[in-house]
Amino acid sequence: MGKIRKRVLNLILSIFWAVVYFAYLLIFILVVFANFGYNDATIAIFSIMSTIIFVFVVLLFITTITSYQKEKEHLNFNEEIFGERLYFYNLLDFVKDIYEHKHKNKEAYVIAYSPIKSSTSNEVYQSKELKQFYNYLAKYFIEEFTNKKNKKVKYCFDSNMFLIYCQGSKDDVMDIVTKLQNISYSLIKKYDLRLFIQNFFGFCPVSSNNDLYEAIARAKITRRIAEYNFEPVLEFDEKYVLDEKENSIAEALANGLKNNEFLVYYQPKFGLTTKTFVGCEALVRWNSKELGFVSPLGFINYAENKGLIHEIDLFVFEQVCIDLADLKKRGKRLLPVSINFSLYEFYCPTFLDDIKSILTKYDINPMLIEIEITEETQHANSFLVISLLKKLRELGMRVLLDDFGLGFSNFGSMKILPIDTIKIDKSFIDEIAYDYKARQIVKTIIEFGRIMGIQTVAEGVEDAKQVETLKKLKCDIIQGFYFSKPIPKADYDKFLSSNPFEKKEANQ
């Protein structure tokens, strides 16, 4: 109601000053000009004074009209939300009103409240039932908290959330929370609304160390964390800022998958026995529109924690199949491609069917695909792991054990897991040319692999001394920056057709 009074007052003032302006013109003409005539002095005074008053009146009218237009837009927005043109504060008015009545050094909190889950579809947000519910809830806010004598509680609606400012203690906050919990369920029952609601509240103290906008942002974050953790009411904690960062990255990941922001790069593998390139490893890269170029170390863990890793794994696998189909169509050189798969795939019931479906879709020979797993895979159910790996091998795929040598159970893994190749971790290869112990460890792994009938791949090979040492140790395959960094498909095609390494070996 205060907004209506203010707008009416502006309109009355505008009309008053317009009347004053025309009265001034009339008086000046009838009195001043009549008595003193139209000389330079009277005309100058008339011109200056009339211009000042006219500008003032015009500005006042513009302010009134602008205020009216903004108010109209605000009411139209509220009609979209509540189904009725309610005078319900937006965020800007909410903050302004709080600053006008805020008492310094008084305990206060911001509460973010929404009875609808953030994952709710747009159809629900636009439904008639939700508008009705929000309408009844908004009217409850107006009736319960709008009081001239009570300046301690303010409220608004912003970004599908009700925001409440409470000047008081935590007990006052919990009192508001309890009231809203009770009224929300009673409204659903009273008006027989076909709407499923789940009340979640996040609240944050407003202190001298954080301004009101920051407290609002933190309350919203806490409300989302409350929903994720199934906590009806949650108070802000500093760690939630880090959790929110993780959620924002996860959201960017989901958008990245929709917007085709992920790429597949290839790093060649060189066979020391065949003296030719015998395959490559597919590596995922993310060029985010929101975050820029993100290293796999910067997003793989987030993808696993938020359940997006399966989509990324399948994206890489399908892209590899698309690229292989393209090479086959153009009659180009085809080499096996190894693909990293997450531990989570061993718990995915559709993983094997997804793999078969993609292979069939692009008519890819399974022998061109190698599956890379890590020692972490052993932490999964051993029966599931072994069963799935056997089925993949039955299709014709090879299985590679990555990062070999980092854990304590790797030699046991070689005996238990159905694997074809082990990849010796880069940390051993880095020191192999000058460190005796590192060289002996690599030698033992290679010899043990030979006994077990398993190929060995040395990762992270960067210089000629490492290559010569690995040749002497009779390693089967080497991979690393010495030959090539991971490169896009087009560059990889060119590399295979013309590279100095195979030419050098052919001329020896």
Side-chain angles (χ1 to χ4, degrees):
M1 294 301 292
K3 276 186 164 291
I4 298 175
R5 286 196 295 268
K6 185 176 180 181
R7 198 176 69 206
V8 170
L9 181 62
N10 284 338
L11 185 59
I12 292 172
L13 283 173
S14 299
I15 295 171
F16 170 77
W17 280 105
V19 172
V20 168
Y21 174 69
F22 286 110
Y24 161 77
L25 293 177
L26 186 62
I27 292 169
F28 212 100
I29 293 169
L30 295 177
V31 178
V32 178
F33 285 143
N35 293 321
F36 298 99
Y38 291 89
N39 55 50
D40 292 340
T42 55
I43 292 173
I45 294 171
F46 173 77
S47 299
I48 293 170
M49 292 299 295
S50 60
T51 301
I52 291 172
I53 298 175
F54 178 75
V55 169
F56 179 77
V57 171
V58 168
L59 288 175
L60 195 56
F61 264 109
I62 291 172
T63 302
T64 303
I65 293 169
T66 303
S67 175
Y68 174 76
Q69 288 176 336
K70 287 183 178 179
E71 186 68 17
K72 186 178 179 181
E73 289 174 4
H74 179 54
L75 288 173
N76 289 340
F77 175 78
N78 282 353
E79 188 174 17
E80 283 291 317
I81 300 298
F82 306 118
E84 187 177 340
R85 294 165 69 85
L86 293 176
Y87 284 92
F88 203 87
Y89 270 168
N90 57 24
L91 183 61
L92 187 63
D93 295 326
F94 173 70
V95 172
K96 184 179 178 181
D97 196 24
I98 290 170
Y99 277 128
E100 286 178 358
H101 300 97
K102 184 179 178 182
H103 297 286
K104 291 183 178 179
N105 302 321
K106 292 284 187 178
E107 189 177 8
Y109 294 86
V110 172
I111 308 166
Y113 160 59
S114 175
I116 303 297
K117 292 183 69 175
S118 57
S119 59
T120 301
S121 66
N122 288 330
E123 287 77 9
V124 173
Y125 279 118
Q126 295 170 3
S127 67
K128 180 181 177 182
E129 287 81 5
L130 184 58
K131 285 186 180 182
Q132 287 179 323
F133 176 70
Y134 277 167
N135 181 283
Y136 298 135
L137 199 56
K139 287 178 178 177
Y140 168 79
F141 272 93
I142 294 169
E143 293 171 7
E144 179 71 19
F145 301 120
T146 302
N147 187 325
K148 290 182 181 179
K149 296 179 181 179
N150 181 12
K151 303 295 183 183
K152 293 184 178 181
V153 178
K154 309 292 179 185
Y155 54 85
C156 78
F157 189 85
D158 180 66
S159 302
N160 293 315
M161 286 189 191
F162 289 94
L163 297 176
I164 305 112
Y165 172 84
C166 172
Q167 190 170 287
S169 65
K170 285 186 185 179
D171 290 337
D172 294 317
V173 170
M174 295 310 299
D175 181 55
I176 291 172
V177 167
T178 302
K179 286 180 178 179
L180 289 173
Q181 286 175 327
N182 292 337
I183 193 65
S184 61
Y185 290 115
S186 66
L187 288 172
I188 292 291
K189 185 177 181 181
K190 180 180 178 179
Y191 295 101
D192 192 25
L193 299 175
R194 297 180 181 180
L195 191 69
F196 177 70
I197 63 169
Q198 287 182 290
N199 290 312
F200 291 105
F201 299 83
F203 67 96
C204 175
V206 182
S207 66
S208 57
N209 296 326
N210 61 344
D211 65 16
L212 187 56
Y213 279 110
E214 185 177 0
I216 291 169
R218 290 181 169 192
K220 287 181 176 182
I221 288 171
T222 308
R223 157 62 183 78
R224 284 193 286 268
I225 299 294
E227 181 181 323
Y228 296 147
N229 295 328
F230 299 100
E231 292 278 353
V233 188
L234 206 58
E235 183 177 5
F236 175 78
D237 190 296
E238 289 293 339
K239 70 177 183 178
Y240 296 156
V241 176
L242 298 176
D243 290 340
E244 185 65 10
K245 178 184 177 184
E246 181 174 325
N247 291 329
S248 66
I249 292 177
E251 185 177 347
L253 274 169
N255 291 334
L257 285 164
K258 292 178 184 176
N259 299 330
N260 299 316
E261 294 174 1
F262 287 88
L263 307 167
V264 174
Y265 279 39
Y266 297 94
Q267 187 173 38
K269 298 178 185 177
F270 189 80
L272 292 177
T273 304
T274 61
K275 298 181 181 180
T276 60
F277 285 98
V278 295
C280 65
E281 180 179 1
L283 298 160
V284 65
R285 296 290 183 264
W286 181 24
N287 188 12
S288 170
K289 292 179 181 177
E290 299 175 38
L291 306 172
F293 196 87
V294 185
S295 162
L297 294 176
F299 69 84
I300 293 297
N301 286 340
Y302 291 113
E304 291 178 341
N305 293 338
K306 297 301 178 181
L308 296 169
I309 195 63
H310 178 66
E311 292 181 59
I312 293 175
D313 283 348
L314 286 186
F315 163 78
V316 174
F317 183 74
E318 183 162 12
Q319 188 60 53
V320 167
C321 289
I322 291 171
D323 291 345
L324 286 171
D326 178 64
L327 289 172
K328 180 181 176 182
K329 181 179 179 181
R330 293 188 290 117
K332 298 294 183 179
R333 184 176 176 185
L334 286 174
L335 294 178
V337 182
S338 61
I339 306 169
N340 295 278
F341 282 100
S342 165
L343 164 68
Y344 293 83
E345 302 304 348
F346 292 88
Y347 294 101
C348 178
T350 64
F351 176 62
L352 191 62
D353 290 335
D354 291 336
I355 292 296
K356 290 179 180 177
S357 175
I358 293 171
L359 287 172
T360 303
K361 180 178 179 180
Y362 298 101
D363 191 25
I364 301 299
N365 187 337
M367 295 181 69
L368 289 171
I369 302 295
E370 299 174 337
I371 305 297
E372 286 199 22
I373 61 172
T374 63
E375 186 190 12
E376 185 187 25
T377 305
Q378 294 175 89
H379 300 313
N381 182 295
S382 58
F383 174 79
L384 287 176
V385 171
I386 294 171
S387 175
L388 183 56
L389 292 180
K390 283 182 176 179
K391 289 177 181 177
L392 291 171
R393 292 181 82 195
E394 287 171 4
L395 288 176
M397 300 181 186
R398 293 170 58 82
V399 178
L400 284 66
L401 183 60
D402 200 6
D403 300 332
F404 190 88
L406 289 181
F408 296 101
S409 57
N410 275 307
F411 284 106
S413 304
M414 293 171 70
K415 186 173 67 173
I416 297 171
L417 295 175
I419 56 177
D420 302 288
T421 304
I422 51 175
K423 300 184 74 175
I424 306 169
D425 188 72
K426 181 181 184 299
S427 60
F428 296 105
I429 306 304
D430 287 342
E431 304 172 351
I432 194 173
Y434 57 85
D435 184 271
Y436 174 77
K437 289 183 179 179
R439 190 159 54 250
Q440 289 303 115
I441 291 172
V442 173
K443 180 182 179 183
T444 301
I445 295 172
I446 293 171
E447 290 178 349
F448 190 79
R450 191 174 297 112
I451 292 170
M452 299 295 294
I454 295 173
Q455 271 190 333
T456 51
V457 178
E459 289 188 286
V461 179
E462 295 183 353
D463 58 53
K465 289 184 179 179
Q466 292 173 341
V467 174
E468 289 304 314
T469 304
L470 289 165
K471 281 182 180 179
K472 291 176 182 178
L473 295 177
K474 300 188 183 304
C475 184
D476 297 305
I477 299 167
I478 51 180
Q479 173 186 348
F481 280 23
Y482 175 76
F483 299 104
S484 173
K485 64 181 180 180
I487 49 180
K489 174 183 175 289
D491 295 336
Y492 175 65
D493 292 352
K494 293 176 184 177
F495 180 89
L496 285 185
S497 62
S498 177
N499 67 82
F501 303 102
E502 291 179 331
K503 291 179 180 179
K504 179 181 175 182
E505 293 292 341
N507 294 330
Q508 289 181 354

